[in-house]
Amino acid sequence: MARRIALLLCVLLSASVLRAQDNFFEKWEARTSATQAKQPAWSPPLITIFNGLIQVARTDFTRQITPTRTTTWNYGTSKGVNLIPWANTEIDINLPPFLTHSAPTTIDGAGDMSFAVKYRIATGNAEHGNYAISMCLPISIPTGSYKNGSTNASLSPTFETGKGFGRFNLQNTIGATLPTGNTVKLGRPIVWNTSAQYHLGRYFWPAMESNATFFHGGPNDGKSQEFLMPELLLGKIPVRREQHTRMGLSIGAGEQIATSKFHTYNHALIFTSRFLF
């Protein structure tokens, strides 16, 4: 009898735990859907930070070619997960990438780990202004090996704005990288990214990005560089048959092309794969 009672208690406890888990995820999903329903349904660009909130597992791959024709592959440029735990708030966790180099004197190794907190200040979906305004604070930790990362942690406060005009939208971000030390070597660069994007058909998002960096301090003090990047994103492609499923896949690619006289690399090919949930 005691064994039967114990078994019954275990079954009831397991059922209670499962119901609690289901209830937790259902509430999370409902909250995320309600939060995202208030903002434009644009596709996040390759480099320009998405102006709204997104919940996604993502990994990017980048190949850079320098003026001396050396090549660097970055496996997992933005490798991690973005979560929406509360209304108007997003938390990003980016795992360290792995870098390989064609230059024989440069050792391959892991890059830096980073985190980010974003707060959506104001927004309106396509029926209510089609815009988004956010603030984001990425934080980088020097976990890189063999000089594949920074020597110091850094903060990168970023201001984000976006406005849609029917199927066309402009997304703009500007921010500064502020190292916690060794600023004579690292400097305090300002990064300004802009994406002009168009929604073509159901799944296609062709875009043109401008990626500019203005160097203050460090070895490139007073210089600036800019890249133009044509890109194509495909998504969101549902992975379930349910009409209102949140789960979907998105892939994309683009190539940065240097347009400024000074540039630390000539061009870069970027690939992305994303699982939205």
Side-chain angles (χ1 to χ4, degrees):
M1 177 63 70
R3 290 182 179 179
R4 292 181 180 179
I5 293 175
L7 180 60
L8 178 59
L9 290 175
C10 289
V11 171
L12 292 175
L13 180 60
S14 298
S16 177
V17 171
L18 290 174
R19 283 196 299 270
Q21 289 178 342
D22 290 341
N23 191 44
F24 172 81
F25 289 114
E26 287 174 3
K27 287 183 177 180
W28 184 300
E29 187 176 66
R31 182 174 61 248
T32 302
S33 296
T35 298
Q36 290 185 311
K38 299 177 182 179
Q39 67 187 22
W42 305 328
S43 181
L46 282 178
I47 292 181
T48 302
I49 300 175
F50 181 52
N51 297 158
L53 305 179
I54 186 172
Q55 191 160 270
V56 63
R58 168 177 174 167
T59 184
D60 294 357
F61 303 91
T62 303
R63 185 196 67 174
Q64 290 183 352
I65 298 180
T66 68
T68 58
R69 307 306 297 173
T70 60
T71 301
T72 297
W73 273 98
N74 188 323
Y75 298 95
T77 313
S78 296
K79 177 177 61 179
V81 61
N82 301 10
L83 299 172
I84 305 176
W86 310 287
N88 299 323
T89 305
E90 176 184 313
I91 295 177
D92 304 344
I93 303 171
N94 296 311
L95 301 177
F98 189 83
L99 291 85
T100 63
H101 312 272
S102 64
T105 57
T106 306
I107 304 176
D108 302 339
D112 292 338
M113 187 170 187
S114 64
F115 304 87
V117 178
K118 179 191 291 188
Y119 183 77
R120 192 181 63 193
I121 301 171
T123 191
N125 57 26
E127 290 75 32
H128 299 87
N130 207 17
Y131 72 99
I133 303 173
S134 302
M135 285 291 296
C136 183
L137 181 61
I139 303 170
S140 177
I141 300 174
T143 58
S145 59
Y146 303 109
K147 298 183 179 180
N148 285 290
S150 178
T151 58
N152 294 80
S154 64
L155 307 177
S156 303
T158 303
F159 181 65
E160 311 165 5
T161 61
K163 181 70 175 78
F165 306 89
R167 286 181 168 267
F168 176 78
N169 72 76
L170 285 172
Q171 300 182 56
N172 186 72
T173 66
I174 186 166
T177 300
L178 307 176
T180 58
N182 202 16
T183 55
V184 173
K185 179 179 179 180
L186 300 176
R188 298 184 178 92
I190 296 174
V191 179
W192 182 12
N193 292 320
T194 300
S195 168
Q197 189 181 76
Y198 187 79
H199 191 191
L200 183 63
R202 183 176 180 182
Y203 296 120
F204 295 95
W205 296 84
M208 178 68 74
E209 284 196 51
S210 169
N211 311 128
T213 303
F214 304 90
F215 297 96
H216 293 270
N220 298 321
D221 183 38
K223 298 179 180 179
S224 63
Q225 69 178 8
E226 182 180 19
F227 298 88
L228 290 181
M229 180 171 63
E231 64 187 55
L232 178 62
L233 294 162
L234 179 63
K236 162 185 167 181
I237 304 171
V239 297
R240 288 182 175 178
R241 294 183 179 180
E242 291 87 342
Q243 184 177 0
H244 300 292
T245 179
R246 289 187 49 80
M247 295 185 181
L249 297 175
S250 177
I251 57 175
E255 183 166 15
Q256 285 185 315
I257 303 169
T259 58
S260 56
K261 183 177 181 180
F262 170 79
H263 43 271
T264 54
Y265 54 95
N266 287 350
H267 53 87
L269 188 61
I270 303 174
F271 304 92
T272 186
S273 58
R274 308 165 182 175
F275 176 70
L276 301 102
F277 60 95

